[in-house]
Every structure is written in C-alpha cells, then in structure tokens.
Amino acid sequence: MALLERAQWYDIARNTEWTPRYVTNDELFPPELSGGEGLPEQIWATYDEPYKVSYREYVDIQRQKDAGAYSVKAALERADLYNKADPGWISILKEHYAAVALVEYGASFQEARFVRWSKAPGMRNMATFGMLDEIRHGQIQLYFPHEYVNKDRQFEWSHAAMFTDNWVTLGARHFFDDVMMTRDAVSTSIFANFSFETGFTNLQFIGLSGDAAKAGDFTFSKLIQSIQSDEARHAQLGTPLLQMLIENGQKDVAQKKIDIAFWRSYRLFTILSGIPMDYYVPLANREDSFKEFMEEWIVTQFMRSLEDLGLSKPWYWDIFLRDISEHHHGQHLGTYSWRPTLWWDPAAGVSPDDRDWLEQKYPGWNDTFGKVWDVIIDNFANDRPEQTVPGTLPIICNVSQLPIVGTPSQTLRDISLVHEGRRYHFASEVDKWIFEDDPERYRHHKNLVDRFLGGDILPADLGGVLEYMGLGSVGPGGDDAHGFAWVDTYRKQLAKAG
Amino acid sequence: MALVPLATHFHGDFVIKLLPVDTENTMDEVAAAAATNAVGIHVPDQPGKTLRVRKQGADAPYERSSTVAASGLEPTECVEIYFE
C-alpha cells in the first residue's frame, strides 16, 4: 500500500482534538496540571511545533542512532579503556552516569505528563516522542556503565545514586523535582525544556563529548552525541509556549520562570560540568575552561535565544557573570575535602602545571583558592592526610542543596532568613530570591544539615553521615583519583628546599 | 547549658562550616573550636595572634570572655572568626 507523504496527513492527525461532553474543560485539563491560566482557549490549536516527525520516521532514526552508539561500544570494549584512561576521566564517567541516568528516566514521566495534560495537541504529539527519547536515555546510560561494574564497584551508583540520600543526590533530586516533576505542563516545559535542556544539556553533552574524544573515550563521546541529538529536538517543546505567553501579556510570567530555572540549572552544573571540566579532565586533553564553555554556550547562545523571543537577561546577570569564575572552584575544594562522601574518586587537579593552567584561565586563582590548596598540599606532602578531611559538615543552601562556598577573603558569606520560625540558609542572593518568591514550595524540605541537626542521622558523626548517604553499602566512597601520585612533585620540591 | 549549632565563617576559608557549641562556652572557646575545623586544614595558622569572634557583618568582635548565651546568637546564625 502506498504511503502518503507526511505533509499530506500530519496537520489533520496532529489537530485531532478532544471534544468533551461529559466533563468540563477544566476537568479534562485541570489548571494545576495543564497550566496556561489566562491564555485564550483557542490558542492551543495554534501551537506550531518546531519539528515535525512521524512515528515511522522517528523509529527509523532512533534505530540508527542506537545502532551507531552500541556498535562503537561493542567495537571498543576490547580496547580496555577502563585500565588505559586517566583515572580523572573514569571519575567523570562515574559522576555523570549516576547523576544523569535515572534523571533521564524521570524525564520520561515529565514528557508523559505533557502527553496527557498539555492543552496543545501539537505539544502532546511532540512530547510522545520526547517521552520515548528519555526512556532511551535512561536505558542506554544504565547499560553502558554496567560494563564497568565488575571492574569498579563505584559504578553501582549509576543505578543506585538516585535512590539514596547522598548529598549530591539530594541536590540533584531537589532541582529536578522542582523544575521537572512538580509543575504544570506549561511551566515545566519552560523550566525543563527551554531553560535547562536548551541551555545546559548542551554544555554537559557537547562540552563533555569533545573532552571524551580528546581523552580517547570514543564510546562515551558517541553516546552523549547520540543523546544530545534527541535533546536538541525535544528541548524545543517550550519555545512556542513562551511565544504564547509573551503575545498574551504574560511576558513577566515567562521571564520569572526562566530566571528561576536558569540559576538553579547553572548552580547544579557547577558540580556536574564545572568541576570535571577544570579539574578532572587530564591537563593534556583540557583546552577550554568551564568559564569559556559557559561563555560560549550560555552567555552567547542561550542569551541569543532569549533575545530572539524578546525576553531579557535574568535580573542577576552581573552576579552570574562573576560567579562563573568562582563558584565551581569552591565546590571543587568542598567535594575534594569531603571526598569520602562522594560516589566517585575526585581528581585534585592541582599539580604545579594544573595550577599554571588555572591561573591562566582564572587570574588570581593562586592567591585565593590556591591559598587553601597550599594548606591541603602541605598536609599531604608532610604525611598528615588525616588533616585533609574536615571533622564537621559544611552549611548547605536550602535551595541548591550545595555547600555555601565563596572566594576566600572576598565573597564567602552566609545569607539567611527566618521564615515562620525556621532559619534557612542560602548560597547566594539569587537562591534567597527563589525561596522568597515561593516559600510554600521550598519551606518543608530538609537539607542534609537540617536532617543531621534534627536527629535523622545517627550516630551524629561523620560515620553516621556516610552510612546515611549510602557510602560503603551501595558502593565505596571517594578517595583521590590518582592515589595522591600528584603529591610527589610537591614532596620533591619540599626535599629540594631542605 | 544547651547545645547550639552555629554557622562559622573562618576568615581565609572557602566554605561556611557547622559548629556545635554550648551556650556556656566563651567566645575564646568558640574560636578555638572553630579553629579545629579550619586552621591547618584549610587555613594556615598565624602563631602569636589572637582569635576573635564577631557576628557576621558586625564591626566589633564579642568580648573574649562573653558567652554564647549572652550573645543572643540563635541556632545556625553565622559568626566570623578571624586572627587579630
């Protein structure tokens, strides 16, 4: 039987719509799930998806993508990347898979909610493919690390991390629950598809893909390119909705959603992308800094997409531009110092050559963050490793769930407020603004320190905290990725100095 | 006597740290306890200098012998500790 060209049937099929007779429109599409309050009912049929694809086309393309990624994996399995790659690169894989795989599976539920609750037929159609995309991303990013589980039990976290209360998981889960799982269809699409996916998955997937190829990990490079090709497509889901809001007098509503999602995405990615790009990628393979990636993918490209829509930079733009040179350096010091709490082995990335690179990319690094590293290095070089892990917890932000860090002697400060008798702490003025904008959304959540002080973690010591976070049971916690080999250079310097 | 958790910013450090203290602790004792989490771990020692404590953002430090109870500090409020 001859097949019709897609263009001959697509619009009719896409526009097929419910005609409810036994329920009201609000019962069919409850506002708290569908969103878009204040928009005229007739507008939903005008949603014009930026890409059009039939199920037959979709399946064919996806089959080819899977075949490409799996065949590269099969071909390179015997290359023994695990034993040949720099341990810093292996740490990137551990961090990435555990932070991403199950979240991708969660994203399939986000898209499935669009399929049911979106009032725009075109969006429901697009989201069906988005849902299938995310199921693929969840499965493939569990399958690929499974190859390594018998070599290194930290890869167990690829599957387990999101089911634990590890502090990194608490941060990731709080973020994704906020932007992806608990808002109406219109809001979620602007938070997750437009702000998070358009801006930040590019950073992680394209940025890391290049780093992977340079590190010789063509399997990972091919995998995340394959995933990004889906992301680039379904990330466009939110753009027509933004246009609808703007054209119907709700520009401020749209802007605020982007401002919240942008900051929250950025801060999470300081951990997921910032630390690996500037410290874990082997120096020989490292070219652009995290800041430079941010400037290219976020400052230039994402901002252009905002301007194209007639939207503005977030109100905290100056804070953000300063922050991309600072925050992830503090988070790296924190994750390295509290390395037993990680599910991966962090690379220190502070050999003399690394420090030259950091100073070149971030002028002033040696006089600020470097001063803290001087103390840590002195302890290692003089065989005092017990003094390199603090005996207490950091204070944690009640929005980002990340430790409150800053540039030593310059920007470190605690920002707090008391809301209904409880003191909340924030890692920035922007996090505080997000909380104050909707305290009911955030006020009940307890961060790791709240749980510790509230008696949820027993015994109330570092051992109890590690056990609470699944370290030692799901898989071993972190230690230096290179077995402290990088300290030898400093020991030699010390010996030479007499 | 009661346990009070404070948030501590030790000057030169990169992170705010949790410090459980007792309401009867003096500010010298608070400073010494904060130092065990920072000095020689993330911040270099400054031998011969005295450690002082002040409420975050305040101009003047607390009296060295004054207590946490007398300071009126509430749980998890932030204090700065610095060498003088």
Side-chain angles (χ1 to χ4, degrees):
Chain A
M1 190 176 77
L3 290 171
L4 288 174
E5 289 294 316
R6 169 167 35 89
Q8 292 177 280
W9 58 264
Y10 185 88
D11 286 342
I12 296 171
R14 187 268 307 263
N15 290 340
T16 300
E17 183 56 301
W18 300 99
T19 309
R21 287 190 296 154
Y22 302 107
V23 292
T24 66
N25 219 35
D26 274 359
E27 286 172 314
L28 181 60
F29 294 112
E32 66 271 25
L33 291 168
S34 299
E37 292 96 326
L39 296 179
E41 282 303 320
Q42 66 273 18
I43 204 169
W44 302 109
T46 68
Y47 179 102
D48 189 22
E49 57 272 45
Y51 69 85
K52 293 177 173 63
V53 63
S54 70
Y55 182 70
R56 176 183 288 267
E57 292 165 329
Y58 176 83
V59 170
D60 187 48
I61 293 165
Q62 298 305 94
R63 188 189 60 78
Q64 290 176 37
K65 285 184 193 174
D66 263 4
Y70 282 90
S71 62
V72 169
K73 178 181 187 297
L76 295 179
E77 262 173 15
R78 282 186 294 277
D80 196 18
L81 175 94
Y82 180 83
N83 288 311
K84 290 179 184 166
D86 185 279
W89 181 256
I90 299 298
S91 295
I92 291 174
L93 297 183
K94 291 172 184 171
E95 183 184 356
H96 172 91
Y97 283 124
V100 172
L102 264 287
V103 169
E104 300 262 26
Y105 186 60
S108 72
F109 289 89
Q110 167 212 334
E111 300 277 346
R113 294 200 331 273
F114 296 162
V115 175
R116 170 60 187 88
W117 304 116
S118 174
K119 296 172 90 169
M123 183 174 167
R124 296 200 295 269
N125 198 40
M126 273 180 87
T128 307
F129 299 118
M131 175 182 67
L132 296 172
D133 288 342
E134 301 293 12
I135 292 171
R136 180 173 96 93
H137 301 172
Q139 290 174 338
I140 199 168
Q141 288 179 101
L142 286 178
Y143 184 75
F144 276 48
H146 188 259
E147 168 191 352
Y148 299 128
V149 171
N150 65 357
K151 300 182 194 308
D152 187 332
R153 274 204 61 204
Q154 285 185 329
F155 278 100
E156 292 273 10
W157 290 89
S158 305
H159 193 202
M162 286 300 143
F163 298 105
T164 72
D165 286 321
N166 180 278
W167 71 269
V168 183
T169 300
L170 289 179
R173 206 159 54 208
H174 189 279
F175 168 75
F176 286 109
D177 280 356
D178 188 13
V179 305
M180 196 170 88
M181 305 302 274
T182 58
R183 296 180 188 263
D184 65 73
V186 171
S187 300
T188 303
S189 193
I190 294 168
F191 272 80
N193 296 111
F194 182 80
S195 305
F196 169 70
E197 289 183 338
T198 308
F200 290 88
T201 59
N202 266 330
L203 186 75
Q204 178 80 353
F205 286 88
I206 295 181
L208 269 187
S209 174
D211 287 337
K214 279 181 259 172
D217 190 350
F218 298 103
T219 302
F220 189 69
S221 179
K222 181 76 178 173
L223 167 70
I224 55 180
Q225 275 176 25
S226 175
I227 291 169
Q228 183 57 22
S229 67
D230 292 348
E231 298 285 341
R233 173 167 37 74
H234 69 237
Q236 299 172 57
L237 269 163
T239 311
L241 296 171
L242 278 170
Q243 287 163 335
M244 288 179 183
L245 290 173
I246 292 163
E247 287 165 10
N248 285 276
Q250 297 193 28
K251 186 175 171 181
D252 290 348
V253 174
Q255 182 77 48
K256 186 192 276 186
K257 291 182 200 300
I258 291 168
D259 289 0
I260 295 170
F262 180 86
W263 182 262
R264 295 218 59 187
S265 303
Y266 157 64
R267 275 293 171 100
L268 182 68
F269 273 76
T270 60
I271 304 279
L272 295 183
S273 305
I275 295 172
M277 284 178 176
D278 281 356
Y279 292 93
Y280 297 179
V281 172
L283 186 59
N285 307 124
R286 207 186 301 154
E287 288 176 14
D288 289 340
S289 66
F290 173 63
K291 182 186 177 193
E292 287 165 336
F293 272 112
M294 289 295 292
E295 284 170 342
E296 179 181 348
W297 291 103
I298 304 298
V299 176
T300 305
Q301 298 199 24
F302 185 63
M303 284 309 117
R304 192 179 300 141
S305 65
L306 280 185
E307 285 163 11
D308 289 347
L309 285 161
L311 292 162
S312 308
K313 292 170 181 165
W315 63 267
Y316 48 75
W317 197 243
D318 291 344
I319 298 174
F320 166 71
L321 290 180
R322 199 167 55 242
D323 210 72
I324 58 177
S325 296
E326 295 185 41
H327 188 73
H328 68 294
H329 296 307
Q331 294 299 354
H332 177 54
L333 267 167
T335 47
Y336 190 86
S337 294
W338 279 279
R339 55 196 174 280
T341 69
L342 306 179
W343 63 68
W344 66 93
D345 294 330
V350 289
S351 70
D353 288 344
D354 283 307
R355 293 180 67 145
D356 288 345
W357 184 89
L358 286 160
E359 183 65 31
Q360 182 208 334
K361 297 292 186 181
Y362 301 94
W365 185 94
N366 272 314
D367 281 336
T368 51
F369 298 101
K371 297 267 189 206
V372 181
W373 279 106
D374 289 342
V375 180
I376 296 172
I377 289 166
D378 188 59
N379 282 327
F380 282 131
N382 288 289
D383 299 321
R384 297 187 298 266
E386 71 284 356
Q387 279 187 242
T388 64
V389 179
T392 186
L393 296 174
I395 296 290
I396 288 176
C397 175
N398 282 106
V399 170
S400 72
Q401 309 298 311
L402 302 179
I404 297 175
V405 299
T407 303
S409 306
Q410 291 182 14
T411 60
L412 178 64
R413 80 187 169 107
D414 178 44
I415 298 166
S416 74
L417 62 77
V418 176
H419 179 81
E420 298 196 8
R422 178 178 161 193
R423 183 174 294 277
Y424 297 85
H425 297 267
F426 305 101
S428 71
E429 289 292 349
V430 189
D431 290 294
K432 178 167 168 268
W433 168 75
I434 291 169
F435 181 92
E436 287 182 302
D437 181 65
D438 191 358
E440 197 53 35
R441 167 169 278 268
Y442 302 108
R443 62 187 285 256
H444 301 289
H445 186 271
K446 292 197 285 187
N447 70 23
L448 188 74
V449 172
D450 296 327
R451 296 172 196 209
F452 182 78
L453 295 175
D456 298 346
I457 300 174
L458 293 170
D461 55 24
L462 187 60
V465 172
L466 293 178
E467 192 179 340
Y468 181 81
M469 294 195 291
L471 279 315
S473 50
V474 173
D479 206 345
D480 185 89
H482 297 92
F484 305 102
W486 57 275
V487 181
D488 288 345
T489 316
Y490 291 104
R491 284 205 184 93
K492 283 175 192 158
Q493 284 179 359
L494 207 63
K496 207 171 171 183
Chain B
M1 289 176 68
L3 205 62
V4 181
L6 294 177
T8 57
H9 171 189
F10 202 105
H11 282 199
D13 211 339
F14 70 97
V15 62
I16 308 287
K17 290 170 178 162
L18 178 67
L19 181 71
V21 296
D22 193 279
T23 48
E24 297 309 308
N25 282 145
T26 65
M27 288 300 162
D28 271 1
E29 289 169 334
V30 170
T36 64
N37 292 328
V39 175
I41 295 172
H42 291 140
V43 178
D45 196 5
Q46 296 188 32
K49 291 193 176 179
T50 307
L51 283 171
R52 301 302 302 268
V53 181
R54 70 183 179 207
K55 194 169 179 173
Q56 179 176 265
D59 291 331
Y62 294 109
E63 288 296 325
R64 293 174 58 187
S65 58
S66 66
T67 63
V68 172
S71 72
L73 283 166
E74 294 176 3
T76 77
E77 262 198 287
C78 188
V79 294
E80 298 174 45
I81 299 97
Y82 57 98
F83 287 105
E84 186 179 70

